[in-house]
Amino acid sequence: METCGSMSPYWVKLNASNCFIGIINNVDCPENTTGLESSTVNLQLTAFAFMITQIPFSVVFGLALQDTENTFLLLCGGCSILVFLLFPISGILAFAGCMLILRDYPDLERGWSFDLCLASSILILIEIIITLIVTTVMGIRSSKRKSNGKPEESVEGKGSSKDGDTQTQSNSYGHSIMKFAQVAITNGAEAAKNAIGMK
């Protein structure tokens, strides 16, 4: 739809003589008739270039997935993914270009080329919204699963930490008792030696 809309001249009808102006060329218009505004043309051509770029990189990404050694996938797969990110941008640019048409030519009749580009941009925007909703829902579900699993882990962790603290305290008490007993035995032996010596 974007290709047909961008390449065809039936964007805006200027008068009753079926003079249509478009992005690239005009049809049934006098020779001195100018086309659409440059801002609209730039937005639509950029969106068209971004959309067309997806085709060869989709082929490249498909070939990269068939590579068993993953060397081609590492080289070209990453580039293809970056190019795929231009797809939502192209929809936004195309929609902005159509809105400029509505602003600059509010009283003139618009043709089917405009309708095609507007429909393609709206479809892309719908895909963006659906992707965001699905991503958000999946993120919420995964966070809920993690949060549901954390209390058990935290309880176990707390229990293990308490056990560790109790064991550490018992070890310190046992060590202090042993030290006290050792000191008491030493003092008792010295006291016995002194008593024997005095006798």
Side-chain angles (χ1 to χ4, degrees):
M1 289 190 293
E2 183 68 26
T3 303
C4 294
S6 300
M7 296 295 104
S8 57
Y10 299 97
W11 277 75
V12 177
K13 186 178 181 180
L14 290 182
N15 48 43
S17 62
N18 294 327
C19 172
F20 280 94
I21 59 175
I23 296 176
I24 298 176
N25 56 356
N26 305 326
V27 63
D28 297 332
C29 297
E31 294 182 357
N32 58 352
T33 303
T34 58
L36 297 175
E37 295 292 333
S38 60
S39 57
T40 304
V41 173
N42 293 335
L43 286 175
Q44 290 295 333
L45 290 180
T46 304
F48 173 71
F50 285 173
M51 290 184 186
I52 292 298
T53 308
Q54 309 299 317
I55 298 175
F57 276 90
S58 299
V59 176
V60 170
F61 188 72
L63 294 175
L65 293 177
Q66 300 297 324
D67 186 16
T68 56
E69 296 180 356
N70 293 329
T71 56
F72 190 63
L73 179 61
L74 294 175
L75 292 176
C76 300
C79 298
S80 300
I81 293 174
L82 292 177
V83 174
F84 292 157
L85 296 177
L86 298 177
F87 183 70
I89 298 175
S90 64
I92 296 172
L93 294 179
F95 184 78
C98 293
M99 293 301 102
L100 289 179
I101 294 291
L102 295 177
R103 184 198 67 179
D104 297 335
Y105 306 96
D107 300 328
L108 297 179
E109 181 182 353
R110 286 166 291 276
W112 56 268
S113 301
F114 170 82
D115 296 335
L116 284 178
C117 288
L118 181 61
S120 66
S121 63
I122 290 176
L123 285 176
I124 295 176
L125 293 180
I126 291 174
E127 291 176 1
I128 295 173
I129 294 173
I130 292 175
T131 303
L132 292 176
I133 292 174
V134 171
T135 305
T136 304
V137 171
M138 291 178 64
I140 292 173
R141 287 183 178 179
S142 62
S143 63
K144 284 183 178 179
R145 289 175 183 173
K146 290 181 180 178
S147 62
N148 290 334
K150 277 183 179 179
E152 298 177 358
E153 295 176 357
S154 61
V155 169
E156 292 176 358
K158 288 181 180 178
S160 61
S161 62
K162 287 181 180 179
D163 294 339
D165 293 339
T166 305
Q167 186 176 2
T168 304
Q169 291 177 357
S170 61
N171 290 335
S172 61
Y173 292 152
H175 182 68
S176 60
I177 291 173
M178 291 291 293
K179 189 174 182 181
F180 178 77
Q182 185 179 3
V183 172
I185 292 172
T186 304
N187 292 335
E190 291 180 356
K193 287 181 181 179
N194 293 332
I196 295 172
M198 290 177 65
K199 289 180 180 179

